[in-house]
Amino acid sequence: MPDVTIYTKSWCPYCQSAKELLVSKKVDFTEIEISGKADERAAMIARAGGRSTVPQIFIGDRHIGGCDDLYALDRRGELDLLLEVA
């Protein structure tokens, strides 16, 4: 399974929802909480191609996008495939 990284803020309901989906699929992920962390936020924005909202989710080196993007992949049956590919 490829590494999964999710950039979050503790108070964000979309972050919580994205994490819940990943947990329900028994996916281990690295959470990077960016609240009040300018360097981490800048790294996220650079990695996400300028997107500054949270969550920003990555599977391996692939930028998935935010919570809605993650759920859309799941609805199309593509999320499980991405999680299986190294």
Side-chain angles (χ1 to χ4, degrees), residues 7 32-47:
Y7 290 84
I32 301 173
E33 215 290 342
I34 65 167
S35 296
K37 300 175 184 170
D39 291 344
E40 295 284 0
R41 184 173 185 277
M44 177 199 77
I45 292 169
R47 190 173 178 198

Side-chain angles (χ1 to χ4, degrees), residues 6-20:
I6 179 169
Y7 290 84
T8 66
K9 290 188 176 183
S10 60
W11 49 265
C12 170
Y14 297 102
C15 299
Q16 186 62 37
S17 183
K19 291 188 297 185
E20 287 171 2

Side-chain angles (χ1 to χ4, degrees), residues 24-74:
S24 76
K25 293 185 169 289
K26 298 179 178 23
V27 174
D28 291 327
F29 56 89
T30 299
E31 180 177 3
I32 301 173
E33 215 290 342
I34 65 167
S35 296
K37 300 175 184 170
D39 291 344
E40 295 284 0
R41 184 173 185 277
M44 177 199 77
I45 292 169
R47 190 173 178 198
R51 292 179 72 176
S52 60
T53 59
V54 289
Q56 291 300 316
I57 304 157
F58 296 84
I59 298 176
D61 291 330
R62 180 175 173 175
H63 179 228
I64 300 305
C67 183
D68 291 342
D69 302 306
L70 184 69
Y71 273 87
L73 278 175
D74 191 44

